[in-house]
Structures are given as C-alpha cells and as structure tokens.
C-alpha cells in the first residue's frame, strides 16, 4: 500500500494540457445531447427517431467545434429549455454521471 500511495503522490496533472484537449474535442458532449434528446422523446417534446444515429452522423470520425455543435443543437427537434441546457454545456463542465458514480462507490 505504501508504494501505491507514494506512486500516486508522484503523479503530475498537466491541467493546461487537459483543458486544451477538452476544448479541442466538443464531440464529448454527444453523450449529453443523446441523453437529453431521449428524455425529450419520452416527455413527448421530440419526434426524433434515433438519437444515437443522429449523433453518430455528426461526430463519427471527425472533430466537432463549438460553433458547429451549437448550430446542431439549435436545429434539434427538442424543447427550448433542453436546448438552453445543452448550449450552456462545455467539454470542461460536462461530467455526465461521474458525480453519481463516485457517490455510489463511496457507499460500497
């Protein structure tokens, strides 16, 4: 255990590199968009047939920038509140289910 703790103490996180990597990869928000679209479908505020395919067509094999993703979200068949929530996200602020997962791990 001591070696593990010592090794973890020697890890250096280059926060500027991580931030730049996130800023260059807006497609990481595809999961959030797909989740919100699915919720809008269930709530009856969207008629999108296949949210997965919609996002796959946007993101597969290529980078998606800020402006392109915002334009995509604005064109979605979802409610205005959902669009506003999605437009407020950034790759640096989106954590998905990470917080809930950590909480769950803490209970085990």
């Amino acid at each position: 255990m001591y070696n593990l703790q010592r090794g973890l103490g020697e890890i250096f996180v280059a926060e500027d590199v991580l931030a730049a990597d996130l800023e260059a990869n807006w497609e990481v928000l595809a999961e959030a968009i797909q989740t919100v679209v699915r919720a809008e479908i269930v709530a009856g505020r969207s008629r999108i047939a296949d949210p997965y395919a919609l996002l796959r067509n946007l993101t597969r094999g290529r980078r998606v920038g800020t402006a392109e993703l915002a334009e995509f979200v604005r064109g979605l068949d979802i409610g205005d509140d959902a669009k506003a929530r999605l437009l407020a996200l950034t790759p640096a602020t989106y954590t998905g289910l990470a917080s809930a997962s950590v909480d769950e791990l803490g209970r085990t």
Side-chain angles (χ1 to χ4, degrees), residues 2-108:
Y2 169 76
N3 287 338
L4 175 63
Q5 288 175 331
R6 189 182 60 154
L8 288 173
E10 294 177 10
I11 294 174
F12 172 74
V13 177
E15 291 182 25
D16 57 331
V17 174
L18 292 175
D21 192 35
L22 282 170
E23 186 60 33
N25 292 281
W26 280 72
E27 61 274 8
V28 300
L29 296 177
E31 175 191 39
I33 295 169
Q34 188 179 148
T35 301
V36 169
V37 170
R38 289 184 190 284
E40 290 290 286
I41 292 168
V42 169
R45 292 185 292 265
S46 178
R47 294 182 310 276
I48 295 173
D50 188 352
Y52 173 77
L54 187 71
L55 273 298
R56 181 188 64 220
N57 293 338
L58 174 69
T59 61
R60 181 162 287 167
R62 63 190 191 95
R63 298 272 190 239
V64 178
T66 310
E68 185 178 8
L69 193 68
E71 180 181 337
F72 177 80
V73 168
R74 286 186 190 103
L76 287 172
D77 173 31
I78 60 175
D80 289 339
D81 289 343
K83 285 181 187 180
R85 286 194 318 273
L86 289 174
L87 290 169
L89 290 177
T90 69
T93 61
Y94 176 64
T95 59
L97 297 175
S99 180
S101 297
V102 168
D103 291 344
E104 184 65 29
L105 286 173
R107 286 186 275 245
T108 58

